Amino acid sequence: MKTILIKADNTIEILKDIQNAIGGHVKDTWGEHQLIINNQTAKGSIRFIPFDHGVSLLDYEIEFLEEVIIEIQATSFNPLRFIYNMADTFKHRFGVEKTEKSIEQFHSVIFANKTNGINCFHFFKDSKINLNIIQINRTKFLKKRTTNISSLNEKLYEIFVDTDHEQRFSHLGNLNLVMADHVARIKKVKSKGMVRLLKIEARVYEILTMHIQEHNLVAQGSALPTSLLKRELKLIRKLGKEISKNPSQAYNLEELSISSGLSQAKLQDGFRFLYNRTVTEYIRHVRLETARELMKTTDLNISQIVYTIGFTSRSYFSKIFKEKYNMTPNEFKKQIFIPVTV
């Protein structure tokens, strides 16, 4: 087992301390700092992107080939951390604790330590680690004009205003499959330079909002639907992604129930929990969103688009499109192709 001790005043120094311990090289591109490792200890990368007002993104996409513990001392650099786990289980504990907390796939954890406290991250041999970590320097963040933390619940408010780092705080979240889709979108950003950073920053704030909402739900006593197991929710998420990729298929509740092995009632409960829609509403939503994207990016006419997304009636498509977007498909296309006046 390898233990990496880190006492850093910023995230760049954390990357360099990890580099000194297990090798690799740091690559800097347009404000992104990436430690790339490919050796007997680990394969993959750790990326850091700083934004304004004390907000930054640190993500791990790495496989540890031996057991690794990273111990980070909370110096004057002691951010509030929001972590979402996309892959294998890892463990976390504060240095003063003996018991580790397991953070499983599709779960989150929010924590802050006292100054000079130790944050211990325990990664197992052959574990594939895919972590999205949003770090907030509370002193800088509270100076942001648009920051309104008074709307937070009492406990989160106390942690956000604790700029002297006098409190130790940890919150382990429930299974959250919706957040996984938002985290995955960050990795799909293809733009370059400033546009890329702005797109990533926007997605970081979306994920931060979801962390706060999830904490509120747990504080209010909300939980996973009692009718569904975690593995069943994961299966329903897989169905949702399949529908999103192939919206033209002739889906119906009965066939989805048979193919998934889940009852129709469980499917409805799962789709309402994950997407806030019934199965039918979700299918219709995906098809309409796909149609709108096709109007923006292709030369297909309305009739062709109707067929492509799995509808058979153009009049029905026009009706539900207007109900959702408050304009007809033709009106939407005219908005896209506005003639340029010379």
Side-chain angles (χ1 to χ4, degrees), residues 178-342:
V178 177
M179 198 182 296
D181 294 329
H182 286 261
V183 171
R185 287 175 192 155
I186 288 182
K187 301 181 186 298
K188 294 178 181 177
V189 174
K190 301 298 183 184
S191 306
K192 296 182 180 180
M194 184 178 71
V195 173
R196 173 178 171 82
L197 293 180
L198 288 172
K199 286 184 176 181
I200 292 175
E201 183 178 17
R203 285 163 172 75
V204 164
Y205 275 98
E206 287 178 356
I207 295 166
L208 177 60
T209 299
M210 296 184 74
H211 276 288
I212 292 171
Q213 290 172 339
E214 194 275 339
H215 184 276
N216 287 341
L217 288 173
V218 173
Q220 294 165 8
S222 299
L224 299 176
T226 55
S227 64
L228 290 160
L229 302 173
K230 288 183 179 180
R231 62 175 177 80
E232 292 173 332
L233 278 171
K234 291 179 181 179
L235 178 57
I236 290 170
R237 176 177 179 265
K238 186 177 179 181
L239 284 177
K241 292 176 75 68
E242 178 64 26
I243 292 168
S244 181
K245 290 179 181 177
N246 302 287
S248 63
Q249 297 295 315
Y251 301 104
N252 64 66
L253 183 58
E254 182 178 359
E255 290 182 358
L256 288 172
S257 175
I258 294 171
S259 66
S260 66
L262 299 175
S263 69
Q264 294 184 24
K266 284 193 172 187
L267 284 177
Q268 295 286 32
D269 286 347
F271 271 82
R272 287 192 187 97
F273 178 75
L274 293 177
Y275 305 111
N276 200 29
R277 294 178 170 91
T278 66
V279 174
T280 301
E281 289 168 346
Y282 178 78
I283 294 169
R284 185 169 58 203
H285 165 75
V286 167
R287 286 175 171 174
L288 290 174
E289 286 289 286
T290 303
R292 192 167 66 156
E293 188 63 23
L294 288 172
M295 288 182 213
K296 291 184 196 176
T297 59
T298 72
D299 294 327
L300 296 175
N301 60 43
I302 301 298
S303 296
Q304 290 171 320
I305 288 174
V306 169
Y307 175 77
T308 300
I309 62 173
F311 284 124
T312 56
S313 169
R314 175 168 173 167
S315 60
Y316 173 71
F317 167 73
S318 297
K319 175 178 177 291
I320 63 173
F321 189 96
K322 185 171 183 179
E323 288 175 355
K324 185 174 180 66
Y325 302 115
N326 202 30
M327 66 179 70
T328 67
N330 283 325
E331 288 169 342
F332 180 77
K333 283 185 72 75
K334 287 178 182 178
Q335 278 195 350
I336 298 171
F337 301 105
I338 300 173
V340 177
T341 304
V342 180

Side-chain angles (χ1 to χ4, degrees), residues 143-159:
K143 292 178 181 179
K144 185 179 179 182
R145 290 185 179 181
T146 56
T147 299
N148 180 19
I149 63 165
S150 61
S151 61
L152 298 175
N153 66 56
E154 182 178 353
K155 190 58 187 177
L156 272 185
Y157 175 84
E158 290 177 1
I159 298 304

Side-chain angles (χ1 to χ4, degrees), residues 83-135:
I83 302 179
Y84 185 76
N85 182 17
M86 291 282 283
D88 290 345
T89 297
F90 73 98
K91 292 188 176 184
H92 170 265
R93 69 176 177 86
F94 295 120
V96 296
E97 299 174 336
K98 294 183 178 180
T99 304
E100 296 178 319
K101 292 181 179 178
S102 293
I103 294 86
E104 299 176 6
Q105 184 182 35
F106 302 135
H107 286 70
S108 62
V109 61
I110 307 170
F111 70 86
N113 210 338
K114 294 182 179 181
T115 299
N116 295 322
I118 302 292
N119 299 302
C120 300
F121 296 88
H122 188 174
F123 303 111
F124 298 98
K125 182 180 177 181
D126 298 327
S127 60
K128 294 181 179 179
I129 303 302
N130 191 337
L131 302 181
N132 176 280
I133 306 174
I134 298 172
Q135 303 178 135

